[in-house]
Each structure stands twice: as structure tokens, then as C-alpha cells.
Amino acid sequence: MSLPAHLKSRHLPLGDQRTGRFYGQDILSVSQFTRDDLEYIFGVADAMRNMVAHIGTFDLLKGKILANLFYEPSTRTSSSFLAAMERLGGSVIPISEVRYSSVSKGESLPDTVRTLECYADVIVLRHPETGAAAIAAQAARKPVINAGDGIGEHPTQALLDLYTIRQELGRIDGLTVTMLGDLKYGRTVHSLSKLLSLYDVNVHYVSPDLLKMPADLVAQLNEHGLRQTEHATLEGVLPESDVLYVTRIQKERFADLNEYEGVKGAYVITPETMRSAKPRMALMHPLPRVGEISGEVDHDPRAAYFRQMECGLYVRMAVLAMVLGKA
Ligand code: ASP
Ligand code: CP
């Protein structure tokens, strides 16, 4: 029987009998997860949260090394993976600026990951090209975790997004989730909508015409039974939304900056907007924000985006512990 590309059990050390969920596996796409997997991951993340609250740092991954390989800018993903590894007693090779690595001499992605896996036990990769994480995973024997591949996916973000929704609203089934902004280039909404298709939810997409959710993804999710509707304005759907997931217009993905100028600032959430929202709603954003949510909203109890970032630490601790066979 041939193993799917993300299964690397064949590379486990001889005699290693550990069968923990995701042990030795790549995390490339949320399509890998079942609902049961998600409940398991969230349970481990809850345990990580407790451990951090009570003892701060502990030695679950003592002696393990993570290579943090970022070809694109990042604050949250890179530093939360770093903090996750250090909270678990492991250490990190940080390559957050590939310009200063041999990538700038022309070294290929496969050779770069082959190099790093000589020194590390797991590789976290962010790259501007869709599919780059899968290419890296093919080249590497060690697990590769996709930290964002172009406009493709950002699976650990979607895990932390769903974990946040569960934390904020206590459930996922039965909710109405509205995604707003750049649904064409935003990889976080691509991953999140796929994960939501595992649940009984209604999803509204609100975007300028130019930045609609890719039609092939909508069709694929339709086949999975996800109830989706598309809109140009927020007003009609906001009052029934349990989650409003706002995104940044992804300036760096536009070939024509005039097009970006035409859509930037299309939607801005203000205290006035929040007046039409449910009293119990989660206002989320993967961040960074560049004007889509006004700072005046930050003190609204429904503003969940800072709590969302914190969830990233616990979820990434869970993912690292799992792929390294310790959870
Ligand atoms: N930080 C997220 C990402 O890397 C969202 C964004 O940059 O707008 O996809
Ligand atoms: N949400 C997110 O991926 O943030 P960074 O781009 O700062 O890592």
C-alpha cells in the first residue's frame, strides 16, 4: 500500500513503535484533518494552555530542534512557533530573513530543506508560492509544516481560528460565519472555509467583485455540503453573523497596483458597524490589520483578534508535540 505524500512513517527511526496521531507527518493542508482529529488537537491545545498558565515552560520536546524557514515576512506565525518550541523545552534555528541565507546565492528550496533537516527535527516553512510546502515535503524526510504557501493555505492559522471560535462561542455547529475582504488571495480564508465544511455552518462571503472566493474552491466546498452565499456588502448579513472574520487586502499578491488602489479600504469595521452585530459575536482577523478594523473597536468585548493570536501559541505547541510524537 503506498502512503499519501504527507505520511512519513517510513522514515521513522528503526524500531520506533510510536503511533501517535500525526507523528512524523507533514502538515500541508487542512484537508488532512477529520473532525475527530480537530477535537484531538484542540484537547492537546487546552492541555498546553493549562501547562503554560501553571508552569510556563516544560521539557516535552527537550533536545528537539525546529528550523523556522520564512521566505516571506511574519510576526505571529514565526514568533509563535519559536515560542511554542521554547515553551516545550526545544530549540530553534531561525531563518526569518532568507536574504542572509544561501537562498540569496541561488540555492533551491529542496536543497535548502535537505540542508536544514540535517540539523533539525521539524521544518516550518512560509513561502510566496502555492505548493511550495508540498515541494519541500517531497524533498524532506523530516516533517514539514506549512506556515503559508502563497495564496494556497495556512493550515495552522485555520486550526487556531477554529480553536478561537470554539473558545469564544463554545461550539462550531449551528454558527453563521461571515468572511470579509480579500477572499481571492487570502490563504487564511481558503483554509478556514475548508475546515468549516466539516461542520454544520452557514458561511457568507463578502468581498469586492475582484476579490471573490475562487470559484473552484466554492464548487469543491459545495460538494462537501457547505452552505455558502456571496455578497458585495456586509449590512445584510452582519446581524445574523456569529463570527465576522475580517481579512487584509493582500497588496503583495496584486500584479497591478492600480487594482489594489481600487479596492483598498473597501471595508472598515468601526464602532458604528458593531452596533448592527449580535451582542455575542466573535470579531476575528488573522492579522496584521492595515486599517480594516478601527482601533476604537479593540475594547469591544466581541473583538477577539488579540485572544486569537494567543491561541496560536497553544495550537502550535500541540501541533509540534504531535508531529514529534509526544502527544
Ligand atoms: N498573516 C496572514 C497570512 O500570512 C494574513 C495576512 O498576512 O493578511 O496569511
Ligand atoms: N496571521 C499570521 O500569519 O500573521 P503573520 O503573517 O504575522 O505570521
Side-chain angles (χ1 to χ4, degrees):
M1 188 186 79
S2 71
L3 290 164
H6 62 270
L7 293 183
K8 292 196 167 168
S9 322
R10 61 193 184 282
H11 299 303
L12 299 181
L14 220 55
D16 194 326
Q17 297 302 314
R18 278 176 290 181
T19 53
R21 228 181 276 215
F22 297 106
Y23 175 41
Q25 295 185 22
D26 303 311
I27 306 294
L28 302 180
S29 161
V30 292
S31 308
Q32 288 168 239
F33 304 123
T34 62
R35 270 182 78 137
D36 191 50
D37 291 331
L38 296 172
E39 279 314 307
Y40 187 83
I41 295 168
F42 297 158
V44 178
D46 286 342
M48 295 299 180
R49 178 197 288 276
N50 270 328
M51 292 292 274
V52 170
H54 291 105
I55 54 171
T57 297
F58 46 105
D59 279 346
L60 193 66
L61 296 184
K62 190 173 166 55
K64 297 290 182 191
I65 299 177
L66 159 74
N68 228 7
L69 177 60
F70 280 68
Y71 286 71
E72 278 192 335
S74 169
T75 300
R76 275 146 291 271
T77 313
S78 59
S79 54
S80 62
F81 267 114
L82 190 145
M85 200 61 187
E86 297 206 341
R87 292 247 175 225
L88 291 167
S91 50
V92 179
I93 303 171
I95 306 193
S96 299
E97 183 45 274
V98 288
R99 230 171 352 132
Y100 299 116
S101 74
S102 286
V103 169
S104 64
K105 300 179 198 167
E107 187 155 51
S108 69
L109 177 63
D111 282 4
T112 302
V113 298
R114 279 184 200 115
T115 308
L116 288 172
E117 72 173 348
C118 297
Y119 316 132
D121 301 289
V122 55
I123 298 169
V124 170
L125 173 72
R126 172 169 289 184
H127 197 282
E129 281 161 35
T130 306
I135 290 170
Q138 282 291 332
R141 289 167 297 115
K142 306 271 175 71
V144 172
I145 300 175
N146 181 4
D149 61 332
I151 64 168
E153 283 219 33
H154 194 346
T156 61
Q157 176 73 44
L159 291 176
L160 77 89
D161 291 342
L162 210 58
Y163 182 71
T164 306
I165 294 174
R166 180 177 166 275
Q167 167 185 286
E168 295 292 312
L169 300 168
R171 67 195 166 108
I172 299 165
D173 282 321
L175 297 179
T176 295
V177 178
T178 297
M179 301 185 193
L180 174 77
D182 187 347
L183 309 182
K184 178 179 181 185
Y185 297 125
R187 55 196 172 200
T188 72
V189 283
H190 298 164
S191 289
L192 181 59
S193 58
K194 285 184 195 174
L195 269 194
L196 287 173
S197 73
L198 298 175
Y199 294 83
D200 175 26
V201 292
N202 294 309
V203 177
H204 298 307
Y205 301 130
V206 183
S207 69
D209 204 43
L210 194 67
L211 299 177
K212 284 166 81 170
M213 195 64 123
D216 56 342
L217 181 54
V218 174
Q220 183 193 324
L221 297 175
N222 223 12
E223 275 178 24
H224 280 89
L226 184 66
R227 294 184 297 279
Q228 312 163 86
T229 56
E230 298 190 296
H231 312 264
T233 58
L234 182 60
E235 285 68 33
V237 293
L238 181 60
E240 66 183 65
S241 302
D242 300 293
V243 175
L244 176 58
Y245 190 99
V246 183
T247 63
R248 174 179 67 90
I249 311 281
Q250 310 277 294
K251 183 179 181 184
E252 66 275 31
R253 310 285 179 219
F254 283 74
D256 176 357
L257 275 183
N258 287 326
E259 280 195 348
Y260 169 74
E261 291 298 330
V263 287
K264 83 166 190 213
Y267 307 99
V268 179
I269 305 301
T270 64
E272 180 58 34
T273 322
M274 295 300 281
R275 270 196 266 283
S276 322
K278 283 187 176 182
R280 186 157 187 221
M281 185 196 70
L283 176 63
M284 297 175 60
H285 193 309
L287 302 174
R289 63 175 156 179
V290 288
E292 309 81 44
I293 301 179
S294 112
E296 296 158 272
V297 178
D298 294 354
H299 299 296
D300 188 309
R302 295 166 290 184
Y305 31 93
F306 299 133
R307 296 189 289 275
Q308 186 181 351
M309 291 196 290
E310 185 186 334
C311 288
L313 174 66
Y314 311 126
V315 166
R316 289 178 175 128
M317 288 173 80
V319 168
L320 288 173
M322 289 171 77
V323 300
L324 291 170
K326 296 286 185 178

